[in-house]
């Protein structure tokens, strides 16, 4: 290839690069026609003439006095509309994919003008794909770069919290695995485009990389999950908040029934939740703190340590009951004592988050008891079953949900073998030591809770050591009060 000479003195490296490229790329060409194509393209006079023209014009303008007209022309030459990008890729096909990838070359907002010299302005995506599929050897694209500023102005920022894990390498449905964006449950994603009903374009929040990746749309992910997940009615149940033993559960009605069952909740497919930034103002009510976990994991101990650490800041709800008041008990202290008839009326009026019957008496936690704590500018600590979370995830309460899970069974045997579990709230004298069956049930219940409701948990703490778990919980609650968090949009725009 003859040496290139021009009158442009500032960019000789460009022409040396163009001259060297065919030999550098030749080892990567799979067929002779690909090598010949490369050679011919880089020897194309029009390509060099175009570059020479731009460099000469720019240099001459730089030498001119900086008049307003010259500055405007220089800015015009720098506009994307005059930077038609022509590039070549060697055709390759993704595994489990019928589309061809041009990874890193085509960006969001770019306008595809030609493919192999064929104008595609008026063609549909499937027609372009057909052209790509029928192409042999190398493929040439002509692209007009998009104006990033315009894209940002046209598309308002939308952020979502991912409620499931996703890896495009494991997804056979994605049209191009290399173009996919991997994320974990809890990741905050900025949605760049929802133009395609099946595949959205997104990037991780705070990522400086301007390029977006493909993620399944909400509707497509829901459809895939419903088709791939068999409906299974699990025999593993949750112990209720009053911690009934197996014997208690056989002789009493299930504690704390809710309007919607746990089985109903499993029909909801977690995909994405639109979120926005939120920071509590000084005079605003505190977020409700909900602790979730299996029986025996240490929820009561953690609540007790929080209350002792700062009784003026933390508080718990006072439950209602229909049982008679005992000696030395005071109404509104241990319980709110009401008649069975009034309790049943309140149940019908949906005043309870959870309720149930134990030894012929009703027990329950009311919504008003939560409001009472929050109105005193205190943090309300609540221990409920996970199937009630959806009823508490409202703009009024803005709950921060902490899942407390047990450690391994080996650690349970080592640290809790001599500890005791209370079977019922009113039967503190009936505490018994843990058994191997208790450990197995604790682990199984924790796994079930995490599988079904893990997308609603904002913090997960493993209670291996109570002091360490308490320190982790205390630090997390401090951040909730002081730092900015991502919360559902409905909590701030209601």
């Amino acid at each position: 290839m003859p040496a290139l000479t021009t009158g442009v003195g500032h960019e000789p490296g460009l022409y040396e690069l163009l001259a060297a490229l065919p030999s550098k790329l030749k080892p990567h060409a799979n067929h002779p026609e690909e090598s010949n194509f490369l050679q011919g393209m880089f020897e194309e006079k029009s390509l060099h003439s175009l570059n020479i023209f731009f460099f000469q014009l720019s240099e001459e303008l730089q030498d001119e006095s900086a008049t307003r007209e010259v500055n405007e022309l220089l800015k015009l030459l720098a506009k994307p509309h005059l930077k038609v990008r022509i590039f070549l890729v060697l055709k390759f096909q993704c595994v489990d994919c019928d589309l061809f990838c041009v990874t890193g070359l085509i960006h969001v907002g770019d306008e595809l003008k030609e493919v192999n010299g064929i104008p595609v302005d008026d063609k549909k995506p499937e027609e372009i794909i057909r052209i790509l599929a029928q192409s042999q050897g190398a493929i040439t694209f002509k692209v007009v770069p998009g104006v990033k500023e315009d894209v940002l102005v046209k598309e308002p920022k939308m952020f979502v919290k991912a409620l499931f894990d996703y890896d495009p390498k494991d997804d056979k449905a994605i049209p191009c695995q290399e173009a996919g964006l991997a994320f974990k449950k809890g990741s905050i994603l900025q949605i760049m485009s929802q133009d395609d009903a099946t595949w959205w374009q997104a990037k991780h929040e705070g990522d400086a990389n301007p390029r977006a990746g493909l993620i399944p749309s909400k509707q497509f992910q829901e459809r895939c999950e419903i088709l791939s997940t068999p409906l299974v009615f699990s025999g593993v149940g949750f112990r209720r908040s009053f911690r009934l033993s197996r014997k208690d559960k056989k002789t009493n009605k299930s504690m704390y029934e809710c309007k919607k069952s746990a089985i109903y909740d499993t029909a909801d497919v977690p995909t994405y939740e639109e979120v926005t930034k939120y920071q509590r103002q000084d005079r605003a009510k505190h977020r409700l703190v909900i602790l979730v976990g299996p029986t025996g994991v240490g929820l009561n101990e953690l609540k007790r340590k929080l209350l002792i650490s700062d009784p003026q800041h933390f508080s718990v709800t006072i439950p209602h009951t229909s049982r008679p008041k005992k000696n030395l008990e005071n109404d509104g202290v241990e319980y709110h004592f009401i008649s069975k008839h009034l309790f049943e009326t309140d149940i019908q009026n949906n005043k309870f988050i959870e309720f149930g019957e134990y030894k012929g008496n009703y027990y329950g936690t009311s919504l008003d008891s939560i409001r009472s704590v929050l109105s005193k500018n205190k943090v309300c600590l609540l221990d409920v079953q996970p199937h009630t979370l959806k009823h508490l995830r409202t703009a009024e309460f803005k709950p921060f949900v902490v899942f407390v899970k047990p450690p391994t069974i080996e650690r349970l045997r080592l640290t809790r073998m001599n500890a005791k579990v209370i079977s019922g709230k009113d039967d503190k004298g009936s505490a018994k030591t843990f058994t191997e069956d208790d450990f197995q049930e604790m682990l199984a219940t924790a796994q079930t809770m995490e599988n079904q409701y893990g997308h609603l948990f904002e913090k997960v703490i493993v209670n291996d050591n109570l002091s360490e778990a308490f320190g982790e919980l205390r630090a997390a609650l401090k951040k909730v009060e002081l730092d900015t968090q991502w919360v559902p949009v409905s909590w701030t725009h209601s």
Side-chain angles (χ1 to χ4, degrees):
M1 187 174 188
L4 294 169
T5 57
T6 72
V8 183
H10 296 308
E11 296 290 342
L14 172 66
Y15 305 102
E16 295 172 5
L17 175 64
L18 288 174
L21 267 176
S23 60
K24 294 290 185 182
L25 293 175
K26 189 173 182 180
H28 302 284
N30 296 323
H31 303 286
E33 60 268 21
E34 293 176 354
S35 178
N36 294 335
F37 181 91
L38 287 171
Q39 189 77 20
M41 187 184 75
F42 287 105
E43 289 179 349
E44 181 64 40
K45 293 182 180 180
S46 60
L47 176 64
H48 299 290
S49 299
L50 184 61
N51 282 294
I52 291 169
F53 167 75
F54 265 96
F55 282 120
Q56 286 179 333
L57 181 59
S58 297
E59 184 176 87
E60 290 177 10
L61 288 173
Q62 294 287 356
D63 291 338
E64 295 289 334
S65 57
T67 64
R68 181 171 61 86
E69 291 80 2
V70 169
N71 287 332
E72 287 182 0
L73 183 55
L74 284 171
K75 290 180 181 179
L76 181 63
L77 289 174
K79 289 291 184 181
H81 302 86
L82 293 179
K83 293 182 178 178
V84 176
R85 206 162 55 224
I86 302 175
F87 56 85
L88 167 146
V89 292
L90 298 181
K91 179 178 172 182
F92 67 94
Q93 191 166 7
C94 302
V95 179
D96 299 320
C97 163
D98 293 327
L99 297 179
F100 298 91
C101 305
V102 191
T103 306
L105 296 177
I106 298 179
H107 308 152
V108 175
D110 288 355
E111 184 179 356
L112 184 61
K113 306 297 290 185
E114 291 182 6
V115 175
N116 283 350
I118 304 173
V120 294
D121 297 75
D122 57 344
K123 295 190 182 299
K124 297 178 180 179
E126 53 268 25
E127 294 178 293
I128 299 175
I129 293 171
R130 194 175 303 116
I131 294 173
L132 293 173
Q134 294 172 351
S135 299
Q136 298 296 324
I139 304 172
T140 306
F141 294 84
K142 182 183 289 185
V143 172
V144 175
V147 183
K148 294 177 183 177
E149 292 80 8
D150 290 348
V151 173
L152 292 176
V153 170
K154 290 177 183 177
E155 297 186 10
K157 289 185 178 180
M158 174 184 173
F159 297 93
V160 298
K161 179 180 179 181
L163 305 182
F164 65 105
D165 296 336
Y166 179 73
D167 189 342
K169 295 178 181 178
D170 301 327
D171 188 359
K172 294 184 178 181
I174 190 170
C176 179
Q177 292 179 337
E178 285 78 2
L181 180 72
F183 55 81
K184 294 290 186 182
K185 184 189 301 179
S187 297
I188 303 299
L189 307 174
Q190 182 178 354
I191 304 301
M192 308 302 292
S193 173
Q194 299 181 72
D195 292 342
D196 191 294
T198 305
W199 297 100
W200 290 352
Q201 296 179 35
K203 65 177 185 177
H204 287 278
E205 186 271 330
D207 190 351
N209 190 338
R211 288 194 289 272
L214 297 180
I215 64 172
S217 69
K218 180 179 177 65
Q219 296 80 3
F220 184 62
Q221 180 64 20
E222 288 175 348
R223 195 160 61 245
C224 290
E225 286 294 324
I226 291 172
L227 292 175
S228 63
T229 305
L231 183 60
V232 176
F233 293 91
S234 173
V236 179
F238 299 140
R239 288 192 182 185
R240 302 305 178 182
S241 291
F242 279 105
R243 314 302 179 196
L244 301 183
S245 67
R246 290 186 186 82
K247 180 179 178 181
D248 293 327
K249 285 196 282 187
K250 289 179 181 178
T251 57
N252 293 278
K253 293 182 181 179
S254 294
M255 296 299 297
Y256 278 50
E257 293 302 327
C258 193
K259 196 171 184 181
K260 292 184 179 179
S261 69
I263 292 176
Y264 177 86
D265 285 341
T266 61
D268 296 334
V269 179
T271 54
Y272 309 101
E273 182 174 51
E274 187 175 358
V275 292
T276 187
K277 289 184 177 180
Y278 167 80
Q279 186 169 25
R280 175 183 170 270
Q281 302 302 310
D282 290 338
R283 296 184 179 181
K285 293 179 181 178
H286 288 280
R287 293 181 64 180
L288 171 64
V289 174
I290 300 178
L291 302 179
V292 176
T295 300
V297 79
L299 299 183
N300 286 331
E301 289 81 356
L302 288 171
K303 284 196 299 182
R304 190 177 300 113
K305 287 179 74 69
L306 284 171
L307 292 171
I308 294 173
S309 70
D310 193 346
Q312 299 304 314
H313 189 63
F314 297 103
S315 186
V316 293
T317 59
I318 299 174
H320 286 66
T321 183
S322 64
R323 74 160 173 79
K325 184 173 62 174
K326 297 179 181 179
N327 291 333
L328 303 181
E329 286 184 332
N330 296 297
D331 187 32
V333 179
E334 291 84 9
Y335 290 97
H336 293 293
F337 295 97
I338 60 176
S339 68
K340 194 166 187 177
H341 174 73
L342 180 56
F343 203 114
E344 290 173 344
T345 301
D346 288 346
I347 290 174
Q348 294 299 318
N349 292 328
N350 299 315
K351 290 189 176 183
F352 289 103
I353 308 163
E354 293 181 316
F355 64 89
E357 187 175 351
Y358 179 65
K359 292 188 175 180
N361 300 306
Y362 284 120
Y363 296 84
T365 301
S366 70
L367 290 168
D368 284 341
S369 66
I370 298 175
R371 296 185 179 108
S372 176
V373 173
L374 295 177
S375 67
K376 298 172 185 175
N377 197 32
K378 288 188 174 184
V379 176
C380 181
L381 306 174
L382 192 64
D383 165 18
V384 296
Q385 291 301 314
H387 64 263
T388 66
L389 292 177
K390 289 188 177 181
H391 309 287
L392 293 169
R393 294 185 83 248
T394 63
E396 178 185 8
F397 297 129
K398 297 182 177 64
F400 180 75
V401 183
V402 180
F403 178 54
V404 182
K405 64 186 298 185
T408 63
I409 194 165
E410 291 77 17
R411 289 293 299 169
L412 286 174
R413 291 170 184 150
L414 183 65
T415 60
R416 287 171 171 79
M417 189 58 75
N418 296 321
K420 293 185 177 181
V421 60
I422 299 173
S423 62
K425 197 173 185 67
D426 272 349
D427 294 331
K428 294 181 173 59
S430 65
K432 65 180 184 65
T433 57
F434 283 100
T435 65
E436 184 70 16
D437 286 344
D438 290 326
F439 294 150
Q440 295 287 355
E441 184 175 352
M442 189 191 306
L443 290 169
T445 302
Q447 187 63 56
T448 303
M449 286 181 172
E450 198 161 17
N451 289 344
Q452 294 185 6
Y453 304 99
H455 58 285
L456 301 178
F457 303 156
E458 296 182 69
K459 177 70 176 177
V460 178
I461 296 176
V462 178
N463 188 10
D464 188 359
N465 177 284
L466 184 60
S467 296
E468 292 178 1
F470 168 71
E472 188 177 351
L473 176 60
R474 190 72 177 87
L477 298 186
K478 194 71 174 178
K479 289 188 67 175
V480 169
E481 294 180 28
L482 301 177
D483 295 353
T484 299
Q485 304 103 38
W486 291 96
V487 301
V489 168
S490 61
W491 292 5
T492 59
H493 295 81
S494 57

